[in-house]
Amino acid sequence: MIKVVILGAGNVATHFFKAFKKAENVEVIQVYNRSEASLEVFKSNTQTTSDLAKLKKADIFLVCVKDDAIEALISKLSHLDGIVAHSSGSVPLSTSAKRNAVFYPLQTFSKQTEVNFKEIPICIETSVAKDLPVLKQLAHSISEKVFEISSEQRKKLHLAAVFACNFSNYMYSIAEDLCNQNEVPFEVLSALIKETAQKATLHSPKSVQTGPAKRNDQATIKQHLAQLNNADYKEIYKLLTQSIIQQDGKKL
Amino acid sequence: MIKVVILGAGNVATHFFKAFKKAENVEVIQVYNRSEASLEVFKSNTQTTSDLAKLKKADIFLVCVKDDAIEALISKLSHLDGIVAHSSGSVPLSTSAKRNAVFYPLQTFSKQTEVNFKEIPICIETSVAKDLPVLKQLAHSISEKVFEISSEQRKKLHLAAVFACNFSNYMYSIAEDLCNQNEVPFEVLSALIKETAQKATLHSPKSVQTGPAKRNDQATIKQHLAQLNNADYKEIYKLLTQSIIQQDGKKL
């Protein structure tokens, strides 16, 4: 049985708590939070405390507080014998605890939505080699996708996620705007958007690239540019088209 | 019973044929194709011909040939009494037949993949008002998503799809490249990519935009730009970030 103490009571903490509750061989023996009020929801299911001095003995202390509060909290946990793992994508592995680790679920969480953890990749990292097996075991207890990722890799992953998620969403957003301008329901594009995402995750996105830029179809590209009257969108269309054409040129 | 003749024997024709076969109140009474060889697969299920003079009498003649062959084929069908509908996203409504129409499924088809037509939007258009009901009925027989879209709107939709699909796929492709460069499995991003697409189709993508640009988090933006050593990717990161920040500025 892996004994876990969760520190924090926000979205990530709540989702972890629910997932571990269903997991075999894992027990959340305590939830800590600075403010007592947010602990209410946990009280019927486990012990709670707002006093760091009263943390129980556990195998893993899982820090689920805001990025800018992580290091300050971990620095107060240097006396603990268990693994101290934070759950952030952008904060490096700490050096303040005895046994520092990262246990980072790569997904956006909102309080309302139920989460299927099985599909969510857990990125783990530790500076203490002997801690790796238990971190892996904990990750596998809730997810089928477990990856060992270094702090340096995690930084790059965060950058890659900006392209794959934030920027792709902005592309949807421009499409939505163009639909609205022309009284076409954006919903018409839903199936295609989901299919494109699905395809990209099954194959290499580079290998399934389609469209006028990919075909270097200059007639259509010109037509499209003439249709765009938003200066930003025009620039974006030009730059992405150029970049796709050039990439293909390099391949030859 | 709506009687349909399909003209063409490629991907779109084949997928339509299979879908109509399962539909109630629709019968594909004939498949035409210029070359006899491609008709083989249809022969056990319906009548076939490679001779335009032998087309049967039908309610709808569904033209599923390549974009640049559509107009030439329709011009040979001007004697027909039925509706002549092409299935292309980028070709305008013809004026060559007596009763011209468009019956356009907005999805990419490949021969191997089974298609769930229910989810695929069918965009219909006709110059003959009295033909609209039967076109709608035919569309609803295979899909739950039927939209009346004019040729002008279809042009804009095609442009919007370039952003929503071709360009979003290029964002995935850049993310994949960044992952490869840093020996992070691109698979780590799969769940997030699918969730982002899902979210955008459930809500307005503009309303669920996240990331450093959305937060105007200049420290992270600077860090990311410093990490990018591909000139194209750097330009794209800058332009999209700027555009997201500006859009938000306009809202204030």
Side-chain angles (χ1 to χ4, degrees), chain A residues 106-108 110 113 119-121 123 145 147 149 152-179 182-201 203-213 215 220 223-225 227-228 230 232-244 246-247 250, chain B residues 106-108 110 113 119-121 123 145 147 149 152-179 182-201 203-213 215 220 223-225 227-228 230 232-244 246-247 250:
Chain A
L106 188 67
Q107 187 58 284
T108 48
S110 47
T113 337
E119 294 281 319
I120 297 178
C123 302
K145 316 247 178 201
F147 298 91
I149 302 279
E152 195 50 40
Q153 285 177 315
R154 205 150 27 84
K155 253 170 79 177
K156 303 292 185 179
L157 193 57
H158 192 247
L159 173 59
V162 168
F163 282 93
C165 301
N166 305 150
F167 287 165
S168 68
N169 187 72
Y170 191 53
M171 298 300 112
Y172 306 149
S173 176
I174 294 175
E176 182 188 29
D177 204 10
L178 295 172
C179 284
N182 298 285
E183 294 176 7
V184 180
F186 176 59
E187 193 196 344
V188 184
L189 292 171
S190 290
L192 203 54
I193 285 174
K194 281 189 273 187
E195 172 76 11
T196 304
Q198 185 71 23
K199 236 189 207 168
T201 56
H203 311 274
S204 152
K206 197 171 258 175
S207 74
V208 295
Q209 183 70 50
T210 56
R215 297 191 305 272
T220 303
Q223 257 188 36
H224 280 170
L225 285 172
Q227 282 182 69
L228 286 165
N230 176 309
D232 264 23
Y233 298 170
K234 207 173 221 159
E235 269 319 296
I236 292 167
Y237 189 103
K238 268 190 208 163
L239 183 60
L240 296 181
T241 295
Q242 232 170 46
S243 181
I244 293 171
Q246 250 171 16
Q247 284 242 339
K250 274 184 217 149
Chain B
L106 188 67
Q107 187 58 284
T108 47
S110 47
T113 335
E119 294 281 318
I120 296 177
C123 302
K145 316 246 178 201
F147 299 92
I149 302 279
E152 195 50 41
Q153 285 177 316
R154 205 148 28 85
K155 252 170 80 177
K156 304 291 185 179
L157 194 58
H158 192 246
L159 173 58
V162 168
F163 281 93
C165 301
N166 304 151
F167 287 167
S168 68
N169 187 72
Y170 191 53
M171 297 300 111
Y172 306 149
S173 176
I174 294 176
E176 182 188 30
D177 204 12
L178 294 173
C179 283
N182 298 284
E183 293 175 8
V184 180
F186 175 59
E187 193 196 343
V188 184
L189 292 172
S190 290
L192 203 56
I193 284 174
K194 281 189 273 187
E195 171 75 11
T196 304
Q198 184 71 22
K199 235 190 207 168
T201 57
H203 311 276
S204 151
K206 198 172 258 176
S207 74
V208 295
Q209 183 69 52
T210 56
R215 296 191 307 272
T220 303
Q223 256 187 37
H224 281 170
L225 285 172
Q227 281 182 72
L228 285 166
N230 176 310
D232 264 22
Y233 298 170
K234 208 173 220 159
E235 268 319 297
I236 292 167
Y237 189 102
K238 268 190 207 164
L239 183 60
L240 296 181
T241 294
Q242 233 171 45
S243 180
I244 294 171
Q246 250 171 15
Q247 283 244 339
K250 274 184 215 149

Side-chain angles (χ1 to χ4, degrees), chain A residues 86-156:
Chain A
H86 78 66
S87 55
S88 160
S90 49
V91 175
L93 185 66
S94 174
T95 52
S96 301
K98 278 185 206 157
R99 295 157 68 189
N100 299 288
V102 177
F103 193 89
Y104 163 49
L106 188 67
Q107 187 58 284
T108 48
F109 296 105
S110 47
K111 220 153 204 167
Q112 301 80 15
T113 337
E114 212 46 45
V115 156
N116 180 9
F117 252 106
K118 272 193 185 136
E119 294 281 319
I120 297 178
I122 310 268
C123 302
I124 54 178
E125 180 183 7
T126 172
S127 52
V128 185
K130 75 173 170 57
D131 288 342
L132 201 55
V134 63
L135 283 165
K136 273 191 183 169
Q137 203 188 330
L138 185 68
H140 276 296
S141 78
I142 53 173
S143 169
E144 284 165 5
K145 316 247 178 201
V146 179
F147 298 91
E148 262 181 82
I149 302 279
S150 71
S151 287
E152 195 50 40
Q153 285 177 315
R154 205 150 27 84
K155 253 170 79 177
K156 303 292 185 179

Side-chain angles (χ1 to χ4, degrees), chain B residues 78-150:
Chain B
S78 57
H79 61 288
L80 296 174
D81 288 323
I83 300 170
V84 175
H86 77 66
S87 55
S88 161
S90 49
V91 175
L93 185 67
S94 175
T95 53
S96 303
K98 279 186 204 154
R99 296 158 67 189
N100 298 287
V102 177
F103 193 89
Y104 163 50
L106 188 67
Q107 187 58 284
T108 47
F109 295 106
S110 47
K111 220 154 202 166
Q112 301 79 16
T113 335
E114 214 43 47
V115 157
N116 179 11
F117 252 105
K118 273 196 184 131
E119 294 281 318
I120 296 177
I122 311 269
C123 302
I124 55 177
E125 180 182 7
T126 171
S127 53
V128 185
K130 74 171 170 57
D131 288 343
L132 200 56
V134 63
L135 283 164
K136 273 192 184 167
Q137 203 188 329
L138 185 68
H140 276 298
S141 78
I142 52 173
S143 168
E144 284 164 7
K145 316 246 178 201
V146 179
F147 299 92
E148 262 181 81
I149 302 279
S150 70

